[in-house]
Amino acid sequence: MGLTKTDLFTENQNEIAMLAKAIAHPARVAIIEYLLKVNACICNDIVNELPLAQPTISQHLKELKNAGIIKGNIEGNAICYCINEPVFSKIQGLFQPMQLIQNKCC
Amino acid sequence: MGLTKTDLFTENQNEIAMLAKAIAHPARVAIIEYLLKVNACICNDIVNELPLAQPTISQHLKELKNAGIIKGNIEGNAICYCINEPVFSKIQGLFQPMQLIQNKCC
DNA sequence: TTTTTATATTGCAATATTACGATATAGAGT
DNA sequence: ACTCTATATCGTAATATTGCAATATAAAAA
């Protein structure tokens, strides 16, 4: 198979999984960290920043964009990527509602 | 290929990606939520709780255990799974250090 | 000791992800 | 128009993930 049965889970569970998946690669973590650090929209400095080929980075950027974590604006012949604040905030608070009261064993 | 080049990234970036990957499936999100809800170690109630076959759930539990998010204690012929508090807390705070000061564009 | 219950492992098919060379596209500069 | 720069897409190979039937294991119950 290899096909996740999304219809068997709640919308919330699928959303958490989807956002986590977008972050589940060190290159994408690096891209997010870089965009946060430079605090501005960065075009293809990312290609020079990361030790991966340009098509690979373009692919990772696409996945982050699909997840809504970043957004990109066309700026001349370059593209200006930056963090999409609302979604990033949502990620930061993703596990806050989950509270472990107390473990009865282990 | 299909092989993530972990050696090209920092230990921290790889750890974030690894933890995110463990959460990047709705069934595993559901397992975590269930373990938090019942607030106790639950054995194979999870198999009855989730609409997936027993081997599939066993596999997901293994991945969560490998990531350190849950732990399991043998209790008779059953196994008692529960949230591994320190790692779960780490996940909750994973993105807190990342701060978006201000977007200069977009 | 046989059976039942709980869980793990194996093996396999379907699908997804990762990475990148080659190539396409499109605006900017000349 | 031509070239350069920035980015996306295509195609493809290698590998990983998902899901489950079949089977193994091991303690509990009968």
Side-chain angles (χ1 to χ4, degrees):
Chain A
M1 309 246 157
L3 198 150
T4 297
K5 297 183 159 181
T6 49
D7 53 311
L8 299 179
F9 302 96
T10 69
E11 210 169 302
N12 191 248
Q13 287 164 345
N14 282 312
E15 196 194 12
I16 292 175
M18 182 275 275
L19 288 172
K21 196 181 215 168
I23 300 168
H25 192 290
R28 294 196 289 270
V29 174
I31 290 171
I32 292 171
E33 285 181 351
Y34 184 67
L35 285 176
L36 286 168
K37 192 183 79 179
V38 298
N39 184 28
C41 302
I42 282 304
C43 314
N44 215 23
D45 300 348
I46 300 169
V47 171
N48 296 93
E49 189 73 11
L50 297 191
L52 290 172
Q54 180 267 321
T56 307
I57 289 176
S58 184
Q59 202 172 270
H60 283 307
L61 285 168
K62 193 182 181 183
E63 279 168 71
L64 286 171
K65 197 161 60 176
N66 284 344
I69 299 173
I70 65 172
K71 51 186 175 171
N73 285 50
I74 296 169
E75 191 131 317
N77 63 332
I79 292 185
C80 188
Y81 280 111
C82 63
I83 297 291
N84 187 20
E85 209 277 326
V87 177
F88 185 70
S89 295
K90 181 185 261 182
I91 290 171
Q92 288 188 310
L94 214 56
F95 301 100
Q96 302 319 315
M98 298 186 188
Q99 283 299 332
L100 178 65
I101 311 300
Q102 164 196 45
N103 267 341
K104 293 203 188 115
C105 71
C106 302
Chain B
M1 308 243 156
L3 200 150
T4 297
K5 297 184 160 178
T6 49
D7 53 310
L8 298 179
F9 302 97
T10 69
E11 211 170 300
N12 189 250
Q13 287 164 345
N14 283 311
E15 197 195 11
I16 291 175
M18 183 273 275
L19 288 172
K21 197 181 213 166
I23 301 168
H25 192 289
R28 295 197 287 272
V29 173
I31 290 171
I32 292 171
E33 286 180 350
Y34 184 66
L35 285 176
L36 287 168
K37 190 182 79 178
V38 296
N39 185 29
C41 302
I42 281 303
C43 315
N44 215 22
D45 301 347
I46 301 169
V47 172
N48 296 93
E49 189 74 12
L50 297 190
L52 289 172
Q54 180 268 321
T56 308
I57 288 175
S58 185
Q59 200 173 274
H60 284 307
L61 286 168
K62 193 181 183 184
E63 279 169 72
L64 286 171
K65 198 160 59 174
N66 284 345
I69 299 173
I70 66 172
K71 50 186 177 173
N73 284 49
I74 296 169
E75 193 130 314
N77 64 331
I79 293 185
C80 187
Y81 280 111
C82 63
I83 296 291
N84 187 20
E85 208 277 328
V87 176
F88 185 70
S89 295
K90 181 186 262 181
I91 289 171
Q92 287 189 309
L94 212 57
F95 301 100
Q96 301 319 314
M98 298 186 188
Q99 285 298 333
L100 177 64
I101 312 301
Q102 164 195 44
N103 266 341
K104 292 206 190 116
C105 70
C106 303

